[in-house]
Amino acid sequence: MPYTVPKLTDFSAAALDGAVRELLSALEQESAAVGSEAGWKVFRDRWMARKNGVLTQVNDLWLKAAPKDAKRDVGQRVNEVRTKVEEEVSKKSVWKLTRGMRSAKTAVDQADHWSAE
């Protein structure tokens, strides 16, 4: 079942830590399941889409909903989450690119092999 950003009502450090742990665990699981360029695009959009991505939901449901006295702590955690999501999406993007380069190199090597014969 895909991760759904919970609406927080408890903004204590322990509750925030638990929510962040669950989110990062879901991020790792979904990232591990990416196996194609199309899958990467779905993963990227699901987590980073401006209108309804997970990061947007975190901002709306956690940061905007936080009481004034908790905004600083929530904001720091939201920034940490954003950084980790961006890193994971970027890492998968690099994987996609290097995999594509390997495929292109294989094609060039095969073409060289056939032209040499």
Side-chain angles (χ1 to χ4, degrees):
M1 184 167 159
Y3 176 75
T4 303
V5 179
K7 183 174 182 177
L8 297 181
T9 54
D10 180 1
F11 293 91
S12 68
L16 288 171
D17 289 344
V20 168
R21 262 193 313 277
E22 286 179 30
L23 184 145
L24 294 178
S25 175
L27 174 67
E28 288 176 18
Q29 290 174 359
E30 290 184 29
S31 175
V34 173
S36 67
E37 183 175 355
W40 172 79
K41 287 178 181 178
V42 169
F43 172 69
R44 176 199 62 197
D45 292 347
R46 176 168 153 55
W47 285 87
M48 298 184 70
R50 289 186 330 152
K51 289 190 178 185
N52 63 352
V54 171
L55 288 178
T56 300
Q57 293 173 40
V58 165
N59 196 50
D60 292 345
L61 296 174
W62 295 4
L63 186 58
K64 289 180 181 177
K68 198 173 195 173
D69 62 330
K71 284 216 188 268
R72 181 181 176 141
D73 289 339
V74 175
Q76 287 175 341
R77 284 182 174 84
V78 168
N79 286 337
E80 291 169 9
V81 164
R82 180 174 308 281
T83 299
K84 290 190 188 255
V85 168
E86 289 171 352
E87 287 172 355
E88 193 63 31
V89 169
S90 177
K91 182 169 60 172
K92 284 297 175 177
S93 174
V94 169
W95 166 82
K96 178 185 75 133
L97 290 173
T98 57
R99 186 172 177 167
M101 287 188 309
R102 273 189 250 138
S103 297
K105 182 179 182 334
T106 301
V108 168
D109 290 346
Q110 288 174 347
D112 288 345
H113 173 73
W114 290 108
S115 65
E117 290 184 348

